[in-house]
Amino acid sequence: MSGPAIGVRAPEAIGTIGESAKRRRRPRRGGAWWAWLVFIVGATYFIVPLIATLEFSLRPEPPTRAYANVLADPRFFGSLGYSFIIGVITIVLSLLIIVPTAYWVRLRLPNLRPVVEFVTLLPFVMPPVILVFGLIRVYSRPPLLFTATDIGSSALLVAAYTVLSFPYMYRAVDVGLAAMDVRVLTEAAQSLGANWFRILWSIIFPNLRTAALSGAFLTLAIVVGEFTIAAFLARPAFGPYLSLLGRDKIYEPAAVSLISFGLTWLAMILIAVVGRGGRTRVEVGGAR
Amino acid sequence: MAFLELTGIRKEFAGGVVAVEAFDLAAERGEFVSFLGPSGCGKTTTLRMIAGFEAPTAGTITIDGRDVTGVAPNRRHVGMVFQSYALFPNLTVADNIAFGLKIRGDSGTEVKSRVGELLRLIHLEDRGDRYPYQLSGGQQQRVALARALAIEPTVLLLDEPLSALDAKIRVALRHEIRQIQRQLGITTVYVTHDQEEALELSDRIVVMSEGRIEQIGTPFEIYNFPATAFVASFVGTLNAVEARVVEPAAGRLTLSGHAILTSSALEGTAGEAVMVALRPEMITLDGIDGQPKEGANRVLATVTDVAFLGSVVRVSTTIGDGMAIHVDTFNNPNLAVPAAGQPVNLSFPPEAVLVLARDAVIQEEDVLAAAEAML
């Protein structure tokens, strides 16, 4: 046998290991360069359309004319307000359905997780137009004559948006549940006398706050921009209003897009502040 | 009737896996009972059945005369401390402790007073407004203990509560647990795979293996008079060697060609092989850590290795046809440590020779399980 003895490291090999360790400690300039490039490309992709829209909206004389027209139109605030209200109701309903379901699946029915995941993905494969036609066919005749009234139609809209929110909300909540030891927290609460409602309300929901917020953001963004379902159900939502405006005006749609963009972000920040209860202290604890 | 009684408990999981079988236990009020055994022996499953998190396939569980076998966990009034602390991350230390009290419907003043009392008990008076993630592991486990004690449970269950902590904190906290348990006089069931923990804390130990009880006894009984080969190998360090019966009535045996005596008469017939257990600390090295006492068994051995274990020096030897015998002797600066290859005389009194049950065979997996538990 001519190979080196086990456990003996040749001096040059030690040198190589030392060098590689030094290299690891050095700042990775190449990596940082690529990271900045990716960041700049991403930011450009995001910002350039906004700047272009802003530039286009400022072309009339005086430049604020499009914004003044939009803000003077009562339908703008009416439709945006309606969409926000529908969005908030959708978020609440979606959370009430998804959180107990995801919790129970994790706790008691882990084998069903792939099935539930698949079901929540169905809105991706089913176009909104199919969904809304199905809803109109089923709920436009007695005994379920929902489309005959405004409240009934709005309820259908909320139901449809809740279905659309499932893929985002389920994933967000499931990731949140994965970050905590659901079984042990549940058992700890049970041993202290808590019933299922108390466990969900006092332990599971508060610890899912961050996850639920991310699901809520996505849901709100979808609801505010959605057109097809709102238009077919003849709802005074923001999507159909924007479409109508784009058909009749030149510069105002650009102004509306930017204003709604800003308001949506503002709403998300408000949800975050309200959802966190003004605190940023919720963290999942662990052994130290 | 005992305060906590488990009668004929059996637990079979889906797929036919039997986790616990023929489990009977009667614990008195205020008693500290430990379930000791290797991973997968059924000790945690048994604890979870007492807590109500698992339903027994057969058998009954009674607490203070009340059959709780089918009672939901939130109605059993049993406190539980988990290995992973299980503190609610969204609640402060004080709110965690108050959780069960609020569910019970105590008034605000009562809750505040009880929380203050428990914070003093666990020496965390100034940490009530902290969140769990702001505490060390030891502090979190103390909070978990206080939270379980807050509701004044009938039985306190602890599921390997110290396993996630480092050695020093583990020792300090186990003293604290024992002190609090004695102070409150609460019936306690403690699950551990750490024999040292079980021996130090318990009034009685239930040694388990493969879902069955191997032995129930005081720490003294378990250590000194192991009922089975498994208990002997799992609790403490042990030399398990095969010997042959020479004269049963006189307690005479041969150990690798050396005649030895036990302190009592043997069962079985001459020529029959039996398993003999010798605790390493019961053996002395003649002329090195003492002189043989009159009537002691003496066996010639050859040193194969010497290991320093801090307060103890472990001398490994072989006798006769390569049978390994380990000897533990207290470390001291004047100890003339023998060298490998040196012949030594091993001495041990007849009462140190534990003849295990006739059908006892120390399985390799038992020894591995014991070794694993010691790690």
Side-chain angles (χ1 to χ4, degrees):
Chain A
M1 266 176 68
S2 59
I6 293 167
V8 177
R9 187 185 289 156
E12 57 274 23
I14 295 169
T16 309
I17 289 165
E19 285 303 309
S20 83
K22 276 182 197 164
R23 271 203 299 277
R24 274 200 301 275
R25 280 195 292 272
R26 263 186 226 134
R28 294 170 61 189
R29 286 167 196 275
W33 184 84
W34 274 106
W36 274 108
L37 183 71
V38 169
F39 174 75
I40 289 165
V41 169
T44 308
Y45 185 81
F46 182 72
I47 291 167
V48 166
L50 287 175
I51 294 171
T53 310
L54 178 69
E55 191 275 331
F56 185 72
S57 71
L58 296 174
R59 280 186 190 177
E61 282 303 327
T64 54
R65 197 185 76 197
Y67 290 90
N69 287 345
V70 167
L71 294 174
D73 184 357
R75 288 178 304 165
F76 168 71
F77 286 110
S79 61
L80 197 60
Y82 178 83
S83 285
F84 275 133
I85 291 167
I86 293 291
V88 170
I89 297 171
T90 303
I91 288 166
V92 172
L93 185 63
S94 186
L95 282 172
L96 286 175
I97 294 170
I98 292 293
V99 173
T101 306
Y103 166 70
W104 198 252
V105 166
R106 275 214 168 251
L107 189 69
R108 292 276 191 267
L109 307 164
N111 293 339
L112 273 187
R113 231 174 118 223
V115 177
V116 176
E117 272 187 14
F118 174 75
V119 169
T120 61
L121 282 176
L122 284 178
F124 281 151
V125 292
M126 186 173 56
V129 70
I130 304 286
L131 177 66
V132 72
F133 265 100
L135 287 171
I136 289 169
R137 278 187 66 86
V138 173
Y139 295 105
S140 294
R141 64 188 72 173
L144 301 167
L145 194 55
F146 276 67
T147 51
T149 60
D150 276 349
I151 290 181
S153 296
S154 295
L156 283 183
L157 189 66
V158 168
Y161 284 165
T162 303
V163 172
L164 288 189
S165 77
F166 278 173
Y168 311 101
M169 196 59 95
Y170 179 80
R171 252 139 216 87
V173 168
D174 198 46
V175 167
L177 288 170
M180 60 173 131
D181 196 337
V182 171
R183 189 174 67 96
V184 172
L185 287 180
T186 300
E187 289 176 354
Q190 279 182 312
S191 72
L192 295 166
N195 57 25
W196 291 113
F197 175 78
R198 187 74 186 235
I199 293 168
L200 272 170
W201 186 250
S202 302
I203 307 300
I204 302 301
F205 267 109
N207 286 305
L208 278 177
R209 207 174 265 162
T210 310
L213 278 176
S214 64
F217 292 153
L218 288 164
T219 303
L220 188 70
I222 291 164
V223 170
V224 170
E226 205 282 331
F227 166 76
T228 314
I229 298 172
F232 276 96
L233 285 172
R235 295 292 79 215
F238 190 65
Y241 168 71
L242 199 60
S243 166
L244 195 68
L245 202 67
R247 202 180 58 190
D248 298 342
K249 309 269 184 180
I250 300 172
Y251 301 109
E252 280 76 358
V256 165
S257 296
L258 287 178
I259 295 170
S260 66
F261 180 80
L263 288 174
T264 306
W265 272 95
L266 191 67
M268 286 181 178
I269 291 166
L270 277 174
I271 289 176
V273 171
V274 173
R276 285 177 196 274
R279 300 166 304 193
T280 53
R281 60 169 167 71
V282 177
E283 287 182 34
V284 177
R288 286 203 295 177
Chain B
M1 191 178 204
F3 187 74
L4 169 67
E5 271 198 22
L6 285 83
T7 313
I9 294 293
R10 175 184 161 85
K11 178 66 187 177
E12 187 175 334
F13 287 109
V17 179
V18 178
V20 180
E21 193 154 33
F23 192 101
D24 294 292
L25 174 71
E28 296 304 327
R29 189 188 290 270
E31 197 176 3
F32 195 120
V33 178
S34 290
F35 294 170
L36 175 67
S39 302
C41 71
K43 55 190 190 297
T44 294
T45 305
T46 310
L47 192 85
R48 289 173 60 77
M49 285 192 277
I50 301 173
F53 302 138
E54 301 284 352
T57 312
T60 56
I61 299 168
T62 60
I63 298 173
D64 201 10
R66 174 184 169 223
D67 186 346
V68 296
T69 316
V71 176
N74 59 331
R75 293 176 188 279
R76 288 200 183 194
H77 206 58
V78 164
M80 179 105 175
V81 178
F82 298 83
Q83 183 181 350
S84 57
Y85 324 134
L87 294 178
F88 306 130
N90 56 312
L91 302 180
T92 62
V93 166
D95 287 339
N96 261 283
I97 297 172
F99 188 83
L101 300 172
K102 287 178 182 168
I103 289 172
R104 200 167 68 177
D106 287 10
S107 72
T109 327
E110 284 170 333
V111 170
K112 203 174 169 188
S113 148
R114 179 89 177 123
V115 168
E117 193 183 309
L118 285 157
L119 283 172
R120 278 191 296 281
L121 186 75
I122 57 167
H123 311 297
L124 289 175
E125 299 95 319
D126 55 339
R127 305 289 161 94
D129 57 350
R130 299 279 178 93
Y131 283 88
Y133 71 89
Q134 294 173 313
L135 303 179
S136 68
Q139 288 171 332
Q140 287 189 56
Q141 198 55 295
R142 272 146 68 193
V143 175
L145 180 65
R147 184 180 66 177
L149 291 171
I151 55 168
E152 292 156 297
T154 47
V155 177
L156 177 66
L157 308 173
L158 299 107
D159 186 9
E160 307 212 27
L162 309 180
S163 305
L165 303 173
D166 62 55
K168 275 196 172 175
I169 295 172
R170 210 156 57 209
V171 172
L173 203 49
R174 80 175 177 229
H175 291 313
E176 212 166 317
I177 288 173
R178 184 55 169 149
Q179 195 189 347
I180 290 171
Q181 190 270 339
R182 283 209 174 123
Q183 196 178 326
L184 302 178
I186 188 167
T187 311
T188 303
V189 181
Y190 189 98
V191 162
T192 182
H193 61 255
D194 184 334
Q195 44 158 316
E196 203 180 302
E197 238 170 68
L199 291 169
E200 184 182 334
L201 287 170
S202 321
D203 292 319
R204 277 194 302 158
I205 298 173
V206 179
V207 185
M208 294 179 71
S209 169
E210 294 176 359
R212 287 177 175 275
I213 294 176
E214 291 279 330
Q215 188 177 359
I216 301 179
T218 63
F220 185 85
E221 288 166 349
I222 295 285
Y223 192 86
N224 291 307
F225 309 107
T228 66
F230 175 82
V231 178
S233 64
F234 193 79
V235 181
T237 317
L238 158 123
N239 294 295
V241 288
E242 195 180 271
R244 278 191 187 278
V245 178
V246 175
E247 199 182 335
R252 289 166 63 85
L253 299 153
T254 57
L255 179 63
S256 197
H258 298 83
I260 61 167
L261 271 176
T262 66
S263 57
S264 54
L266 299 166
E267 291 177 15
T269 53
E272 190 181 337
V274 289
M275 289 306 291
V276 166
L278 288 167
R279 294 282 184 205
E281 69 273 18
M282 299 295 283
I283 307 171
T284 53
L285 301 161
D286 290 358
I288 294 172
D289 67 341
Q291 294 304 321
K293 292 192 175 118
E294 202 174 323
N297 294 301
R298 296 187 78 193
V299 174
L300 182 65
T302 306
V303 175
T304 55
D305 190 27
V306 178
F308 287 95
L309 309 175
S311 59
V312 168
V313 177
R314 177 159 296 163
V315 179
S316 300
T317 67
T318 54
I319 59 169
D321 50 358
M323 190 179 278
I325 302 269
H326 302 288
V327 181
D328 283 352
T329 182
F330 281 115
N331 189 10
N332 77 69
N334 302 320
L335 188 71
V337 180
Q342 184 181 326
V344 286
N345 269 315
L346 310 181
S347 293
F348 46 92
E351 54 271 23
V353 182
L354 300 171
V355 179
L356 302 173
R358 281 174 64 197
D359 57 348
V361 176
I362 293 188
Q363 302 288 344
E364 193 182 356
E365 54 265 35
D366 291 346
V367 177
L368 287 175
E372 183 193 313
M374 280 190 284
L375 286 175

